[in-house]
Amino acid sequence: MSPAFGAMEVEHYSKGVLLEPFVHQVGGHSCVLRFNDTTICKPLIQREHQFYETLPTEMRKFTPQYEGVVSVSFEEDEDGNLCLIAYPLNGDHGNLETLDNSDCEPKSKLLRWTNKKTVLLENEKISKEWVRQHRKEEKMKSHKLEEEFEWLKKSEVLYYTVEKKGNVSSQFKHHNPWSMKCHQQQLQRMKENAKHRNQYKFILLENLTSRYEVPCVLDLKMGTRQHGDDASEEKKANQIRKCQQSTSAVIGVRVCGMQVYQAGTGQLMFMNKYHGRKLSVQGFKEALYQFFHNGKYLRRELFESVIKKLTELKSVLEKQESYRFYSSSLLIIYDGKERQEVAVDSDPEDLEDLSEESSDESAGAYAYKPTASTVDVRMIDFAHTTCKYYGEDSVVHEGQDTGYVFGLQNLIDIIKEIRDESSE
């Protein structure tokens, strides 16, 4: 047990984990919530759950790590504040104790689970009065956010100037409009169903942004087809129309959401799926360029890594017999934290070499301590995935998912174009 924890009994109402909006969600309509620093959770959809439990070994490095299932309840405190609380499933305490909440900031999570006693942060006296006061403050903040919410929904690309004195990563919490939208919609849905149902299953997944100080995230909707085999005629027609009116039909990929920190201007930029649907192929390319540009220069040191990983993923998917990843997304993530200055005439290849080395006094004027220049590439959202191993599916496909592979190849080609044009 972490030394930061000490055992003490608490009231029954607080024996759970208070879920918060996941501030780095940039796309999708399903609400993603923060369980702890390294784990997120989202509503359990049986098909997606089945995918994670039967995932081919060679695909695991390209998907979030699956960490189990929890029970989530919609609760209202004495002051009428709405919140979502996660509890372990009956008999599942042993699985949940491996999730370490010890790195959470004080008060951001009330408790963690263990198969011994419920434990709290040492010297942290949490009472009903504190909980009421904390949630009252959060409610006041939410009212201010709601005033902005109407125009946020209508704004497809937003820029926020970051406060120089504050921590950049912490400011995502107050500015990410898509995360706020999904969270409010989830609360509303659960509130409307509260009379009939108040227990929901959520799956726990790896938080892919946890290793980055300032995560820059690009959410790409992959494939030339988005509707699942079980879609209604209306849903099918709607998804076909979206593909035909976007870059999905032409290149097999479209922008579903983006957040990027532009150190040059000190701004956070958010782009949502509605803007992504309107982009031409050239507009898609410009959006990719914008994603890899920090406002000062193009992050060229990232290109080889992302191209390598996309190429490897393409090779893996070409070998997946009968899988169809309809309506799934691909995330590209890197750290937008600004690195220390280097000589302005430094060759980009030198910058790439430096990014793999630690700063050294002997490096003289060129010394700097870089942040991780690695790029993460992961597939997410498998609610409409199918394959021949799903026995209950009436439609069985053969061969690879050509629409997805087509999108990957075009994505690789466009990134290579940006790389080559930037070096001319």
Side-chain angles (χ1 to χ4, degrees):
M1 181 181 297
S2 168
F5 287 83
M8 64 181 290
E9 296 298 327
V10 293
E11 292 84 359
H12 174 73
Y13 75 90
S14 62
K15 292 181 179 178
V17 174
L18 176 65
L19 301 177
E20 301 169 348
F22 177 58
V23 298
H24 300 301
Q25 180 180 2
V26 299
H29 60 269
S30 180
C31 179
V32 179
L33 298 167
R34 178 187 181 277
F35 180 84
N36 63 22
D37 282 349
T38 60
T39 308
I40 61 169
C41 63
K42 59 184 293 192
L44 185 149
I45 297 174
Q46 193 58 45
R47 185 172 295 273
E48 182 171 44
H49 186 219
Q50 184 176 12
F51 170 81
Y52 279 113
E53 291 200 319
T54 60
L55 182 65
T57 303
E58 59 271 25
M59 287 188 62
R60 288 178 184 170
K61 66 184 294 185
F62 293 108
T63 59
Q65 181 178 337
Y66 168 68
E67 299 180 355
V69 180
V70 292
S71 176
V72 174
S73 65
F74 169 85
E75 300 183 12
E76 187 171 311
D77 67 12
E78 296 174 6
D79 296 321
N81 299 306
L82 308 178
C83 56
L84 297 176
I85 307 294
Y87 299 94
L89 292 176
N90 292 334
D92 201 25
H93 294 69
N95 292 332
L96 290 174
E97 72 166 331
T98 62
L99 295 170
D100 184 10
N101 288 275
S102 60
D103 293 331
C104 295
E105 295 179 3
K107 299 182 182 180
S108 66
K109 286 290 167 289
L110 301 183
L111 302 169
R112 73 168 182 169
W113 296 322
T114 164
N115 58 4
K116 294 183 180 180
K117 291 184 178 180
T118 303
V119 292
L120 289 174
L121 289 174
E122 189 176 7
N123 300 324
E124 191 74 68
K125 295 182 179 180
I126 297 182
S127 63
K128 286 186 177 181
E129 181 59 34
W130 179 86
V131 171
R132 282 196 294 268
Q133 182 61 31
H134 174 71
R135 290 176 179 167
K136 185 179 294 184
E137 292 172 359
E138 291 298 313
K139 190 174 184 179
M140 292 176 64
K141 292 178 183 177
S142 69
H143 284 319
K144 293 180 181 178
L145 290 174
E146 286 171 5
E147 294 175 2
E148 302 177 14
F149 190 53
E150 286 306 312
W151 68 265
L152 282 175
K153 288 191 292 186
K154 300 175 183 177
S155 303
E156 297 176 355
V157 181
L158 294 169
Y159 291 85
Y160 289 100
T161 300
V162 174
E163 296 178 10
K164 294 182 178 180
K165 294 182 180 180
N167 183 293
V168 176
S169 58
S170 67
Q171 296 186 49
F172 279 99
K173 181 175 182 179
H174 306 293
H175 295 316
N176 186 331
W178 197 259
S179 171
M180 181 173 67
K181 175 181 179 178
C182 292
H183 186 248
Q184 288 195 0
Q185 289 178 338
Q186 181 68 36
L187 283 174
Q188 185 61 34
R189 284 193 295 266
M190 295 179 78
K191 182 178 181 181
E192 291 171 354
N193 294 328
K195 292 182 179 180
H196 310 288
R197 179 185 180 190
N198 194 35
Q199 291 291 323
Y200 296 80
K201 288 184 178 180
F202 277 52
I203 58 172
L204 296 173
L205 298 170
E206 172 190 5
N207 174 7
L208 300 174
T209 68
S210 63
R211 74 193 68 178
Y212 302 107
E213 291 191 54
V214 186
C216 294
V217 183
L218 178 63
D219 185 325
L220 299 171
K221 186 71 73 174
M222 300 300 297
T224 53
R225 169 181 162 175
Q226 300 303 325
H227 62 278
D229 292 323
D230 58 346
S232 65
E233 288 301 315
E234 181 182 2
K235 179 75 171 180
K236 179 179 177 180
N238 187 41
Q239 292 294 347
I240 291 175
R241 177 182 55 80
K242 289 177 183 177
C243 288
Q244 291 176 337
Q245 295 177 353
S246 69
T247 55
S248 292
V250 183
I251 58 175
V253 55
R254 71 173 183 256
V255 173
C256 191
M258 180 197 303
Q259 75 175 26
V260 61
Y261 175 57
Q262 299 180 326
T265 58
Q267 290 182 317
L268 294 172
M269 188 277 281
F270 299 95
M271 180 185 296
N272 68 24
K273 66 179 182 181
Y274 303 112
H275 186 77
R277 289 178 192 165
K278 297 177 181 178
L279 296 175
S280 62
V281 174
Q282 179 61 30
F284 176 84
K285 180 177 178 180
E286 291 171 357
L288 276 184
Y289 181 93
Q290 190 173 24
F291 176 68
F292 288 109
H293 201 287
N294 70 356
K296 288 185 177 181
Y297 53 85
L298 196 62
R299 293 288 299 273
R300 292 183 58 210
E301 80 278 9
L302 302 174
F303 288 144
E304 295 310 316
S305 176
V306 71
I307 290 171
K308 180 180 179 182
K309 291 183 178 181
L310 289 172
T311 302
E312 185 180 351
L313 173 59
K314 176 173 172 284
S315 178
V316 168
L317 294 187
E318 287 173 337
K319 300 172 185 175
Q320 300 308 311
E321 175 67 26
S322 91
Y323 269 99
R324 295 296 181 271
F325 304 100
Y326 299 135
S327 199
S328 71
S329 286
L330 185 71
L331 294 185
I332 301 178
I333 311 170
Y334 71 88
D335 202 328
K337 180 176 174 60
E338 188 175 17
R339 299 168 299 168
Q340 293 184 20
E341 297 292 337
V342 296
V344 293
D345 59 348
S346 295
D347 186 272
E349 293 183 1
D350 293 334
L351 293 179
E352 185 175 350
D353 292 337
L354 277 170
S355 68
E356 297 175 357
E357 301 174 0
S358 299
S359 61
D360 190 309
E361 290 183 5
S362 63
Y366 290 89
Y368 79 113
K369 186 176 182 180
T371 59
S373 61
T374 56
V375 181
D376 206 356
V377 172
R378 305 287 188 106
M379 299 173 67
I380 61 168
D381 297 341
F382 303 100
H384 302 286
T385 292
T386 181
C387 79
K388 62 183 178 182
Y389 306 113
Y390 297 179
E392 70 279 8
D393 288 356
S394 58
V395 180
V396 177
H397 301 272
E398 296 182 359
Q400 63 183 244
D401 188 338
T402 55
Y404 198 114
V405 172
F406 175 69
L408 274 178
Q409 185 58 60
N410 284 318
L411 178 60
I412 292 168
D413 292 343
I414 292 173
I415 294 176
K416 285 182 177 179
E417 287 179 13
I418 296 174
R419 177 200 62 187
D420 296 343
E421 291 170 3
S422 67
S423 62
E424 292 178 355

